Amino acid sequence: MEYTIPHYFEDFRCVAAECEDTCCAGWAIMIDEETLEKYKNMEGAFGNRLRNSIDWENGSFCQYEKRCAFLNEDNLCDLHLEAGVHMLCDTCRDYPRHMEEFEGVREGSLSLSCIEAAKLILGCREPVQFVRFEDEVEDEEYEDFDYFLYTKLADAREKIIMLLQNRDVDIMMRIGMVLELAQKMQDALDEEEMFRIDDILETFGEMEAALEFEQGLSKYRIGANEYCTVMRKIFRVFSKLEVLKEEWPEYVKKAEFTLYADGQSVYESNRRAFHKTIGLKSSQYEEWANYLEQLMVYFVFTYFCGAVYDDNILGKMQTAVVSTLLIQELSFARWLEKGRTMDFEDVVDIAHRVSREIEHSDVNLVRLEKICEKMPMFSTEELLRVVLSVILLEG
């Protein structure tokens, strides 16, 4: 079996009781079948407690006041303390390590939903490198797996990450370019002309492609009032998703009020101030651009090749772009709420909150792709207008 992981993958360390937002509370922790069988057969008093603390119908740990039944007052796991790490279920043993599986390949990432993992992801200052290695685990065969499509997606993802990490080009232009590349790939797939993908990747691999893209920026110009209207519609995507944490709707509602309640002109004035003070038009451009780069690389690496299972190349990229834009918009709200200041921990907190709501619900991941597919404001052209607006921002 071949494995691919980001270079910081092995650097993760759980801080246990010191965690600011424990993964043992706020959501259902699902238990794999093999571990459920072990729990059924565990003897003694702790075995009785274990069986009484499982929702057997749903295959998850019971919760008390939204905390796992085994999370004690010190924010430590009694199951781990009493029975040992070997008795943890796959979810508890692996999280925040996440594995995407393909025929002959497993790709590991750290989940942005974990604060400590988010610190590693967003705190990485150099371009992410991906480490490949093999072990002796026998490759699992997948029925009807389109290996040809997978290789094209893997080649494309490598090119996309290379484009996203080209720091000689403005970060929003990089995002715009990979969005356009995904659109061209989707067109080729839909028209059953996969042979075009190699030419598409070769074209986007040249520096001339960035210069040509830059020369055409003016056609994506968007009016200030229009930008506010479109961004508010994008922001309301949150209201269309399944709620995982009880406090999430109120958190989003507060941010929406902060951003948009005073009207379009105030929003635009604040947006300009945000980017001139801390964002992409400021002396801190490199730091902010790095956050956006690391987010895009994270989403692309984790999900892009999943298009081998549903042919939705563009949807994977739209989801990456929209998720990144929403994290930036929530950061803008946090900046306003804190009196026009924020720090690294704020960005980490926002990113992990968004990840917890979107990435830990298969319903939300599918729903977000469907929304991007059906709503005109998420078309490639409209998203490009939003993405590139900061480059065209004046004054």
Side-chain angles (χ1 to χ4, degrees):
M1 181 71 71
E2 179 180 303
Y3 295 82
T4 304
I5 56 174
H7 72 266
Y8 51 69
F9 186 83
E10 300 293 348
D11 294 338
F12 172 76
R13 298 291 182 274
C14 177
V15 295
E18 297 177 15
C19 185
E20 302 167 48
D21 188 10
T22 176
C23 56
C24 303
W27 48 17
I29 300 173
M30 306 308 294
I31 309 169
D32 58 282
E33 291 294 332
E34 184 178 341
T35 306
L36 274 174
E37 198 62 33
K38 284 200 299 187
Y39 291 166
K40 284 180 184 177
N41 299 317
M42 188 173 184
E43 299 178 349
F46 195 80
N48 291 332
R49 177 188 171 186
L50 186 53
R51 283 183 288 278
N52 290 330
S53 301
I54 292 174
D55 179 344
W56 292 98
E57 182 177 348
N58 294 311
S60 62
F61 288 111
C62 293
Q63 290 193 330
Y64 302 106
E65 298 182 349
K66 301 192 180 300
R67 291 165 60 88
C68 175
F70 288 97
L71 185 62
N72 65 31
E73 293 180 357
D74 297 321
N75 271 354
L76 294 172
C77 174
D78 281 341
L79 179 55
H80 184 226
L81 293 172
E82 294 285 339
V85 67
H86 68 283
M87 288 298 289
L88 297 178
C89 65
D90 288 349
T91 302
C92 296
R93 186 185 302 110
D94 296 341
Y95 181 82
R97 302 166 190 87
H98 171 79
M99 200 68 68
E100 290 287 328
E101 300 201 7
F102 307 97
E103 188 171 296
V105 177
R106 290 179 179 170
E107 298 179 344
S109 59
L110 297 178
S111 177
L112 191 65
S113 60
C114 166
I115 288 182
E116 293 304 310
K119 289 177 182 178
L120 286 173
I121 294 164
L122 293 170
C124 181
R125 291 291 179 257
E126 67 274 19
V128 181
Q129 301 297 312
F130 293 92
V131 181
R132 291 180 173 84
F133 60 92
E134 295 185 11
D135 67 12
E136 296 181 358
V137 173
E138 187 174 342
D139 292 353
E140 184 178 346
E141 291 188 10
Y142 287 67
E143 188 176 348
D144 298 325
F145 186 82
D146 190 338
Y147 195 77
F148 178 72
L149 175 57
Y150 172 75
T151 59
K152 294 300 179 187
L153 290 169
D155 289 344
R157 184 179 62 182
E158 186 174 339
K159 180 71 68 174
I160 288 166
I161 290 175
M162 183 194 76
L163 288 169
L164 288 170
Q165 293 178 337
N166 182 1
R167 297 180 178 182
D168 292 331
V169 177
D170 185 279
I171 180 57
M172 301 312 276
M173 198 160 80
R174 290 178 247 164
I175 294 174
M177 288 182 70
V178 300
L179 180 60
E180 188 173 79
L181 188 157
Q183 176 69 69
K184 290 182 181 297
M185 286 186 64
Q186 188 68 59
D187 293 341
L189 179 60
D190 291 344
E191 294 162 16
E192 298 183 354
E193 296 181 346
M194 294 290 290
F195 64 88
R196 287 164 38 196
I197 289 181
D198 289 339
D199 291 337
I200 292 168
L201 297 182
E202 184 176 353
T203 299
F204 273 82
E206 302 295 333
M207 193 62 189
E208 286 78 5
L211 297 174
E212 183 179 339
F213 193 84
E214 186 175 12
Q215 290 169 359
L217 286 180
S218 59
K219 69 181 178 182
Y220 296 112
R221 189 173 295 278
I222 184 171
N225 290 346
E226 186 183 0
Y227 180 90
C228 176
T229 300
V230 171
M231 199 62 230
R232 188 169 193 175
K233 288 180 180 177
I234 292 175
F235 195 86
R236 285 180 173 168
V237 162
F238 284 134
S239 68
K240 302 178 186 297
L241 302 178
E242 176 187 33
V243 175
L244 270 65
K245 293 204 76 174
E246 188 176 301
E247 66 270 21
W248 176 249
E250 187 60 33
Y251 176 81
V252 170
K253 183 179 178 180
K254 179 184 177 184
E256 182 176 1
F257 182 85
T258 300
L259 289 167
Y260 311 112
D262 293 327
Q264 295 172 331
S265 61
V266 172
Y267 172 88
E268 183 61 19
S269 175
N270 287 337
R271 183 171 79 104
R272 290 170 183 267
F274 171 75
H275 283 296
K276 288 177 69 176
T277 303
I278 195 173
L280 297 174
K281 293 289 185 177
S282 74
S283 60
Q284 298 180 55
Y285 165 84
E286 290 185 4
E287 182 176 358
W288 199 261
N290 185 66
Y291 294 150
L292 302 184
E293 174 190 316
Q294 302 299 357
L295 286 169
M296 282 296 299
V297 169
Y298 166 81
F299 288 123
V300 167
F301 175 71
T302 305
Y303 297 109
F304 186 78
C305 286
V308 71
Y309 296 118
D310 61 12
D311 293 344
N312 195 0
I313 298 172
L314 181 59
K316 302 294 183 290
M317 186 60 72
Q318 287 169 320
T319 299
V321 172
V322 169
S323 298
T324 301
L325 287 174
L326 288 171
I327 290 170
Q328 177 168 262
E329 196 75 351
L330 282 169
S331 298
F332 173 22
R334 178 74 62 89
W335 177 77
L336 288 170
E337 290 165 359
K338 291 186 64 176
R340 302 191 172 216
T341 183
M342 66 182 304
D343 55 26
F344 173 68
E345 281 70 24
D346 288 309
V347 182
V348 166
D349 178 60
I350 291 161
H352 110 275
R353 286 173 182 264
V354 172
S355 174
R356 283 189 71 147
E357 290 299 314
I358 294 178
E359 293 191 85
H360 287 274
S361 165
D362 290 338
V363 170
N364 284 344
L365 286 170
V366 172
R367 191 174 294 174
L368 185 53
E369 283 194 25
K370 293 294 184 184
I371 290 170
C372 289
E373 181 181 356
K374 293 180 179 179
M375 298 184 72
M377 66 185 175
F378 293 110
S379 69
T380 297
E381 184 173 350
E382 289 304 307
L383 274 182
L384 281 171
R385 295 174 75 212
V386 172
V387 167
L388 300 172
S389 66
V390 177
I391 299 175
L392 299 169
L393 205 59
E394 299 172 353

